[in-house]
């Protein structure tokens, strides 16, 4: 199956939040609850998988899980509760999860949220409506968008469409398809007339997928087992032998 | 038993009492009610202290096992058993700490059944589990030496375990070096969140080397503890040797860390005076450079004070390193700082207290210190008599001496637990957490309202100090309606509406319903969310008011029906004055009892419907414009918002 994606064109978004409501209805998310500290109530949360961020100049940017092509959350999960499907969505299996929240630490976009107020908590995030895709339907947010600011399709087509829009409207957009290549690319891509650096923790995202950084150290595990084990066993044997020899020699000296 | 040990054990039991209460709260109410963790700080005190620091502090076990068993340094034999016991209890403490931190701890076995070989955390989890097993096997000969196990099946197991010592030790060293380093590798995934002074491609080497240095110093610290607690003599020759080794390892760690920064070209940011730079320098000097330098001097190594100070600095500095990586230097947006709740700290302290109690228990009953044992320090009696010094006279008079001490610990435990129940906030232990939605109430600010321009339409503006009030404009307070909580406000003249609808008696037209004991409930009390309906009906308070379970039938008249909102008596049956007769908005009948509409629906329902009606009544006075969106939403224009800025700021600061 071809990889699907969502393209959001922030110049078309009017901030009506129908996508947020469609998502809320689709997943029966209920009422937004109060957050501690200075977290905004209309930020992403366990009861809000997508939200609209207002930026200076009356611009609206929709936040949701970026569904990375090489997701950090999937690579760090120690029980495989996070999985990248061939269709594109990064899905979460609550029955597998043990609640370590490493996915939340690892996400370069700070997306996964947690049921902090529940005694049996789960990780919550957008699933790109994986169940709906199986029925041949679009994600609920895309279906609800009245201005076609957010559209769904094959990733390759959408990347081409994004470049076409930038090319055919010179000066309208910043010449960058956000999510095309950074950290291996994402399945939710943006084009915009305002900088979208705020989407990640830091603006200077590299092309290297994050799981590769871990793999550098993790691939050293087998050599380390053999190395440390071998050196320790060897040292023990050598020292043990020398000491035994010394013990045997000592009485000889005395005599 | 000495008074000192008695006092310490009493304090530890008191901490355990607090732990018991917080444990109930943690597992009944969840992480949000008991911790300060948020979505931007998913890992907090428990991971940084119980796991990251705990594993590092328990490094003495494998370091000393290597020193004695692999390098055959016989002089260190007296240190091995306490070091392995410390490590064993340390790792059990880590495991217990993880159980508190995990959201779904009962699923921990998934780690074994759904292995993910690309996950560092999987490797850490497996190594910790296996190493815990190895430590248990390494320590079990000490248990089996007890005279109770001096019979057939146990003696052969003992012999087998003694033979397996070397393979076990080597396995333990391999597992330890793997997960000590992998705890650092956990952060390789977050290059964009962890500050460059701490993020390093070789962070796993730094974690391993610093853990070895800390392990050596922890053996020293443990010796000081047992000298202080059990009166054992300090073996200064061996401790000086450990100090010398620690000095070398800590220097290596500092050189690696600074060298790595230099190679990557970020060394400059350590000296730029930023708080991160200063923190980095402080942590490195305290945890490595200063103790390493001190321990390099023979005089310091050979003095108990010098050794103790160096050990304390290494412990604090290395714990600081783990905290910085895990919490302090881990980026979070402005204003979303994290400080652990007292319950998080209580859990960590409680786990440590438990570990220390078990340590003392083992020392009292087993040959943890074989040399001291043989010199008659502990005697042969496995049940040492409780000290008479610490017991208050009353307790001692009432109880036989052997029971007085345990009873005293119980009093400490129960007393501390009771105090903890008192301190714990009500909505953590025994009530539903209160819902405080941070909706700003409609605030007032000074404004000017122009004369009617065509029909009833008026120009409404915020009063500005430096701009004179235009002719024909009247100054009056304006309400800022801020339904979206994003400071895009609607300016609403309350005074004009009161005049229009006929004085103060017209309040009910808009203020359709008041909460109990409230005279004019502000909109945001019920209309909490822009889009969602809010439950304004409190079942619990009705139950209490109507006399508990006897009162059910007062509302649920038909006992055969399902007792839900749809079949219950309407609110207005009892509360005749809610809503008042003339109100414009009436609560919908049927399933919608006790439900307030979302903020948007309420505003639209009130303003637009009323204005439409008024236009019907007197179309000349009420221009058709009033029912149009832009009439209220004209501040949507960004220029206007900018102009309002300072007033909005001032109003927010109230």
């Amino acid at each position: 199956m071809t990889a699907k994606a969502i393209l959001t064109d922030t110049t078309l978004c009017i901030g009506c939040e129908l996508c947020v409501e469609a998502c809320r209805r689709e997943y029966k998310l209920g009422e937004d609850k109060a957050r501690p500290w200075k977290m905004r109530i209309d930020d992403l949360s366990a009861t809000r998988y997508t939200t609209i961020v207002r930026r200076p100049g009356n611009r609206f940017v929709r936040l949701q899980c970026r569904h990375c092509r090489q997701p950090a959350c999937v690579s760090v999960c120690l029980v495989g509760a996070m999985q990248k499907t061939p269709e594109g969505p990064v899905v979460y299996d609550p029955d597998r999860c043990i609640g370590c929240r490493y996915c939340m630490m690892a996400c370069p976009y700070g997306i996964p949220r947690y049921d902090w107020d529940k005694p049996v908590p789960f990780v919550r995030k957008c699933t790109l409506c994986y169940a709906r895709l199986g029925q041949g339907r679009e994600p609920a947010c895309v279906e609800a968008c009245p201005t076609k600011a957010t559209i769904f399709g094959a990733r390759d087509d959408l990347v081409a469409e994004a470049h076409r829009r930038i090319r055919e409207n010179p000066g309208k957009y910043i010449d960058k398809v956000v999510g095309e290549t950074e950290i291996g690319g994402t399945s939710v891509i943006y084009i915009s007339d305002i900088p979208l650096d705020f989407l990640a923790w830091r603006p200077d995202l590299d092309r290297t997928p994050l799981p590769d950084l871990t793999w550098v150290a993790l691939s050293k595990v087998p050599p380390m087992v053999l190395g440390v084990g071998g050196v320790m066993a060897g040292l023990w044997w050598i020292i043990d032998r020398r000491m035994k020899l010394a013990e045997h020699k000592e009485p000889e000296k005395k005599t | 038993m000495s008074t000192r040990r008695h006092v310490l054990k009493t304090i530890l039991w008191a901490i355990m009492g607090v732990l018991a209460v917080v444990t109930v709260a943690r597992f009944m109410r969840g992480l949000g009610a008991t911790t300060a963790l948020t979505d931007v700080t998913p890992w907090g005190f428990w991971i940084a202290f119980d796991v990251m620091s705990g594993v590092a502090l328990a490094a003495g076990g494998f370091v000393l096992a290597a020193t004695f068993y692999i390098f055959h340094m016989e002089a260190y034999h007296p240190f091995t058993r306490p070091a392995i016991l410390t490590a064993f209890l340390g790792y059990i403490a880590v495991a217990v700490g993880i159980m508190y931190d995990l959201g779904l701890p009962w699923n921990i076995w998934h780690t074994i059944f759904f292995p993910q070989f690309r996950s560092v955390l999987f490797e850490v989890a497996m190594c910790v589990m296996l190493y815990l097993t190895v430590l248990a096997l390494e320590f079990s000969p000490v248990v089996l030496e007890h005279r109770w196990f001096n019979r057939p099946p146990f003696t052969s197991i003992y012999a087998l375990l003694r033979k397996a010592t070397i393979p076990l030790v080597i396995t333990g060293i391999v597992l330890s070096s793997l997960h000590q380093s992998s705890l650092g590798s956990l952060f390789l995934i977050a290059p964009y969140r962890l500050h460059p002074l701490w993020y390093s491609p070789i962070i796993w080497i730094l974690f391993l080397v610093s853990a070895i240095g800390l392990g050596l110093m922890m053996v020293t610290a443990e010796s000081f503890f047992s000298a202080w607690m059990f009166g054992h003599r300090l073996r200064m020759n061996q401790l000086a040797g450990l100090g010398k080794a620690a000095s070398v390892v800590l220097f290596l760690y500092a050189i690696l860390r600074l060298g790595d920064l230099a190679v990557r070209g970020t060394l400059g940011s350590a000296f730029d005076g930023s708080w991160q730079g200063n923190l980095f320098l402080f942590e490195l000097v305290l945890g490595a450079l200063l103790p390493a330098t001190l321990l390099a001097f023979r005089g310091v190594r050979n003095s108990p004070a010098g050794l103790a100070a160096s050990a304390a600095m290494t412990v604090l500095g290395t714990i600081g390193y783990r905290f910085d990586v895990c919490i302090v230097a881990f980026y979070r947006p402005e204003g979303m700082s994290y400080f652990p709740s007292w319950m998080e700290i209580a859990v960590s302290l409680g786990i440590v207290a438990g570990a220390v109690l078990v340590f003392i228990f083992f020392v009292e009953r087993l040959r943890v210190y074989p040399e001291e044992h043989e010199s008659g320090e502990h005697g042969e009696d496995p049940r040492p008599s409780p000290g008479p010094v610490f017991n208050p006279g009353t307790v001692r008079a009432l109880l036989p001496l052997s029971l007085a001490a345990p009873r005293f610990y119980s009093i400490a435990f129960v007393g501390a637990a009771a105090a903890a129940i008192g301190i714990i906030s009500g909505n953590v232990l025994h009530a539903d957490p209160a819902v405080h939605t941070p909706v700003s109430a409609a605030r007032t600010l000074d404004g000017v309202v122009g004369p009617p321009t065509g029909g009833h339409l008026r120009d409404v503006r915020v009063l500005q100090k430096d701009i004179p009030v235009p002719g024909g404009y009247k100054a009056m307070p304006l309400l800022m309606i801020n339904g979206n909580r994003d400071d895009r406000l609607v300016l609403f003249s309350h005074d004009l509406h009161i005049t229009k609808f006929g004085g103060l008696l017209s309040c009910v037209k808009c203020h359709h319903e008041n909460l109990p004991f409230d005279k004019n409930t502000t909109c945001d009390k019920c209309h909490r969310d822009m889009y969602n309906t809010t439950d304004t009906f409190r079942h619990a308070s009705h139950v209490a008011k109507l006399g508990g379970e006897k009162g059910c039938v007062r509302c649920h008249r038909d006992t055969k029906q399902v007792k839900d909102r749809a079949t219950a008596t309407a609110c207005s049956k009892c509360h005749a004055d809610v809503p008042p007769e003339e109100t414009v908005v009436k609560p919908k009948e049927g399933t919608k009892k006790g439900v307030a509409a979302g903020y948007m629906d309420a505003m639209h329902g009130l303003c637009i419907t009323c204005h439409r009606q008024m236009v019907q009544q007197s179309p000349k006075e009420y221009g058709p414009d009033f029912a149009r969106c832009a009439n209220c939403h004209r501040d949507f224009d960004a220029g206007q918002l900018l102009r309002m800025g300072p007033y909005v700021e001032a109003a927010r600061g109230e």
Side-chain angles (χ1 to χ4, degrees):
Chain A
M1 192 173 188
T2 53
K4 301 288 188 191
I6 280 182
L7 168 64
T8 297
D9 184 340
T10 63
T11 63
L12 297 175
C13 181
I14 56 168
C16 67
E17 300 200 346
L18 279 175
C19 46
V20 180
E21 283 318 293
C23 183
R24 192 188 295 287
R25 232 164 268 143
E26 181 76 19
Y27 295 100
K28 301 184 174 62
L29 295 178
E31 189 184 354
D32 280 327
K33 294 203 185 70
R35 296 314 138 55
W37 301 94
K38 292 186 179 168
M39 302 191 75
R40 291 175 60 102
I41 190 160
D42 56 355
D43 190 8
L44 290 179
S45 73
T47 54
R48 205 181 258 249
Y49 299 168
T50 181
T51 195
I52 302 273
V53 180
R54 279 151 223 268
R55 298 298 289 176
N58 249 345
R59 290 293 180 276
F60 306 97
V61 182
R62 184 159 81 92
L63 290 191
Q64 66 180 116
C65 174
R66 298 291 294 275
H67 300 279
C68 303
R69 303 180 86 190
Q70 298 193 42
C73 57
V74 172
S75 84
V76 299
C77 186
L78 76 167
V79 289
M82 289 278 181
Q83 290 291 344
K84 176 80 177 170
T85 60
E87 296 90 336
V90 174
V91 294
Y92 168 73
D93 180 356
D95 294 337
R96 282 265 185 109
C97 184
I98 65 169
C100 70
R101 307 187 294 284
Y102 192 14
C103 49
M104 302 175 69
M105 292 288 281
C107 180
Y109 300 106
I111 296 293
R113 298 293 134 118
Y114 208 56
D115 283 332
W116 293 107
D117 53 342
K118 291 187 184 151
V120 182
F122 298 108
V123 175
R124 305 281 184 188
K125 70 169 198 71
C126 160
T127 61
L128 211 73
C129 284
Y130 184 62
R132 284 172 67 110
L133 300 194
Q135 301 160 3
R137 296 157 76 200
E138 290 188 324
C141 51
V142 171
E143 201 177 78
C145 184
T147 61
K148 297 271 168 268
T150 193
I151 55 175
F152 177 77
R155 188 174 187 275
D156 298 340
D157 299 349
L158 288 182
V159 171
E161 167 69 13
H163 281 294
R164 188 189 64 78
R165 286 189 196 179
I166 293 172
R167 202 171 52 242
E168 290 180 3
N169 302 285
K172 187 180 176 190
Y173 297 98
I174 291 172
D175 187 10
K176 184 186 182 198
V177 178
V178 177
E180 187 184 4
T181 53
E182 315 90 278
I183 56 165
T186 63
S187 297
V188 171
I189 55 176
Y190 294 85
I191 47 172
S192 174
D193 55 347
I194 55 165
L196 297 182
D197 296 339
F198 70 93
L199 289 177
W201 293 116
R202 279 230 305 272
D204 52 338
L205 290 188
D206 202 56
R207 284 196 175 202
T208 321
L210 296 181
D212 292 3
L213 297 172
T214 308
W215 189 245
V216 173
L218 203 53
S219 59
K220 306 250 183 334
V221 167
M224 209 163 152
V225 172
L226 295 176
V228 175
V231 167
M232 285 298 149
L235 275 176
W236 173 80
W237 186 77
I238 291 169
I239 299 173
D240 193 52
R241 189 152 175 275
R242 281 192 179 175
M243 291 190 79
K244 274 180 187 154
L245 286 176
E247 269 173 34
H248 284 295
K249 272 180 190 171
E250 262 173 32
E252 281 169 25
K253 270 180 191 173
K254 274 177 190 172
T255 48
Chain B
M1 196 168 11
S2 66
T3 317
R4 190 180 279 166
R5 205 189 306 174
H6 219 113
V7 174
L8 180 74
K9 280 168 94 172
T10 311
I11 294 171
L12 294 175
W13 275 112
I15 298 173
M16 295 291 282
V18 179
L19 174 71
V21 173
V22 177
T23 303
V24 174
R26 153 70 188 86
F27 289 101
M28 271 177 66
R29 292 291 161 203
L31 289 162
T34 42
T35 69
L37 296 172
T38 60
D39 287 324
V40 291
T41 312
W43 283 4
F45 192 80
W46 287 342
I47 295 291
F49 184 78
D50 298 3
V51 180
M52 295 287 166
S53 308
V55 168
L57 290 171
F62 87 99
V63 173
L64 217 80
T67 312
F68 175 68
Y69 291 109
I70 304 297
F71 300 111
H72 290 72
M73 297 190 181
E74 303 293 340
Y76 290 94
H77 182 246
F79 295 89
T80 43
R81 283 192 166 185
I84 286 171
L85 178 60
T86 312
F88 182 44
L89 294 177
Y91 274 84
I92 289 179
V94 169
V96 174
I98 289 173
M99 291 301 153
Y100 279 85
D101 186 77
L102 286 182
L104 307 163
W106 46 88
N107 283 350
I108 185 78
W109 55 273
H110 288 187
T111 315
I112 302 162
F113 282 82
F114 307 106
Q116 298 293 312
F117 296 103
R118 290 190 72 105
S119 166
V120 182
L121 196 56
F122 168 73
E123 190 222 313
V124 172
M126 292 316 290
C127 282
V128 169
M129 284 184 204
L130 289 172
Y131 187 49
L132 199 52
T133 317
V134 167
L135 280 171
L137 291 175
E138 278 182 356
F139 184 68
S140 49
V142 185
V143 179
L144 293 176
E145 276 170 18
H146 192 269
R147 63 179 176 201
W148 196 81
F149 293 105
N150 196 9
R151 45 186 148 160
F154 299 112
T155 42
S156 52
I157 294 173
Y158 179 75
L160 190 71
L161 281 170
R162 287 305 285 252
K163 267 183 206 160
T165 304
I166 296 299
L168 275 178
V169 165
I170 291 175
T171 314
I173 294 168
V174 170
L175 289 170
S176 287
S177 24
L178 280 183
H179 71 261
Q180 291 284 3
S181 58
S182 293
L183 282 178
S185 308
L186 286 178
F187 294 92
L188 286 173
I189 199 80
Y192 303 114
R193 268 195 97 172
L194 190 56
H195 191 275
L197 282 172
W198 283 271
Y199 184 87
S200 157
I202 61 157
I203 190 170
W204 50 288
I205 299 174
L206 297 175
F207 263 59
L208 177 60
V209 177
S210 64
I212 294 173
L214 178 63
L216 290 164
M217 284 282 90
M218 272 306 285
V219 176
T220 312
E222 192 275 319
S223 291
F224 277 101
F225 173 78
S226 65
W228 178 75
M229 177 84 323
F230 307 111
H232 298 161
R233 73 183 171 86
L234 287 171
R235 291 162 199 275
M236 285 309 294
N237 276 345
Q238 286 87 333
L239 289 182
L242 289 177
K244 196 174 173 184
S247 173
V248 173
V249 176
L250 289 174
F251 265 129
L252 176 67
Y253 158 67
I255 291 165
L256 276 174
R257 210 156 160 213
L258 291 169
D260 165 64
L261 288 180
V263 168
R264 290 185 297 118
T266 38
L267 191 55
S269 58
F271 301 98
D272 63 0
S274 64
W275 68 264
Q276 289 100 336
N278 293 338
L279 181 70
F280 167 82
L281 290 176
F282 175 72
E283 173 217 299
L284 191 66
V285 169
L286 179 75
L289 285 173
L290 195 54
T293 314
L294 284 176
L295 290 169
F297 294 101
R298 191 184 299 269
V300 179
R301 282 205 305 267
N302 286 325
S303 83
L307 270 177
S310 308
M313 281 189 281
T314 315
V315 169
L316 288 178
T318 315
I319 292 180
Y321 179 39
R322 302 300 194 266
F323 265 80
D324 288 345
V325 168
C326 202
I327 301 175
V328 187
F330 209 71
Y331 176 79
R332 53 183 60 74
E334 199 71 27
M336 296 197 184
S337 51
Y338 164 82
F339 192 83
S341 73
W342 72 267
M343 288 181 271
E344 286 177 84
I345 298 171
V347 165
S348 296
L349 281 181
I351 294 170
V352 173
V356 175
L357 280 173
V358 178
F359 184 88
I360 294 175
F361 174 88
F362 277 148
V363 172
E364 282 169 357
R365 279 162 178 76
L366 299 171
R367 292 174 72 241
V368 175
Y369 294 90
E371 282 79 359
E372 309 286 346
H373 229 89
E374 277 141 29
S375 65
E377 183 73 33
H378 292 281
E380 276 302 298
D381 182 14
R383 289 180 58 87
S385 61
V389 193
F390 195 68
N391 301 329
T394 46
V395 178
R396 225 171 109 197
L398 289 171
L399 293 163
L401 199 60
S402 58
L403 279 177
R407 174 60 69 93
F408 201 82
Y409 298 145
S410 312
I411 292 170
F413 182 89
V414 173
I421 292 174
I423 296 166
I424 218 161
S425 79
N427 59 16
V428 172
L429 259 196
H430 45 70
D432 283 335
V435 179
H436 300 296
T437 318
V439 179
S440 9
R443 293 176 191 282
T444 56
L445 77 170
D446 293 328
V448 287
V449 179
T453 53
H456 199 63
L457 201 59
R458 286 164 188 264
D459 185 22
V460 182
R461 288 186 193 173
V462 175
L463 180 68
Q464 309 227 9
K465 276 179 196 154
D466 44 343
I467 300 173
V469 177
Y473 278 62
K474 248 172 44 184
M476 62 173 68
L478 295 176
L479 273 181
M480 306 189 305
I481 296 172
N482 185 13
N484 260 343
R485 304 166 297 280
D486 60 354
D487 298 327
R488 287 164 192 277
L489 314 165
V490 175
L491 297 176
F492 175 85
S493 170
H494 197 236
D495 290 5
L496 276 183
H497 280 80
I498 294 176
T499 326
K500 196 71 213 164
F501 290 124
L504 290 171
L505 290 176
S506 64
C507 297
V508 291
K509 288 199 169 175
C510 301
H511 297 280
H512 49 93
E513 186 180 320
N514 280 332
L515 293 173
F517 316 114
D518 226 355
K519 280 200 172 156
N520 51 352
T521 303
T522 49
C523 319
D524 61 295
K525 281 274 159 59
C526 301
H527 302 283
R528 286 174 179 280
D529 186 88
M530 188 70 180
Y531 300 101
N532 279 329
T533 53
T534 309
D535 195 353
T536 61
F537 176 75
R538 293 276 168 265
H539 190 258
S541 66
H542 281 78
V543 172
K545 184 91 182 168
L546 297 176
E549 295 192 350
K550 286 179 288 181
C552 298
V553 286
R554 291 282 293 277
C555 299
H556 303 285
R557 292 271 166 88
D558 191 348
T559 49
K560 280 173 196 151
Q561 292 239 13
V562 183
K563 289 183 186 54
D564 68 356
R565 199 164 274 188
T567 60
T569 312
C571 306
S572 54
K573 282 276 159 21
C574 301
H575 303 280
D577 50 342
V578 177
E581 263 176 35
E582 277 184 273
T583 79
V584 178
V585 176
K586 291 189 173 69
K588 287 175 195 162
E589 289 298 318
T591 56
K592 290 283 181 187
K593 286 165 199 160
V595 173
Y599 214 113
M600 190 181 74
D601 290 341
M603 286 298 154
H604 285 176
L606 265 174
C607 307
I608 295 173
T609 48
C610 179
H611 276 286
R612 280 196 182 132
Q613 281 174 22
M614 298 310 255
V615 169
Q616 298 291 320
Q617 285 170 20
S618 52
K620 271 183 195 168
E621 203 180 346
Y622 290 87
D625 275 350
F626 257 125
R628 277 169 46 180
C629 305
N631 186 51
C632 293
H633 294 284
R634 59 186 174 167
D635 62 292
F636 214 65
D637 177 72
Q640 180 106 359
L641 248 188
L642 216 61
R643 198 162 60 76
M644 286 169 53
Y647 295 94
V648 174
E649 285 302 317
R652 261 201 300 197
E654 271 174 23

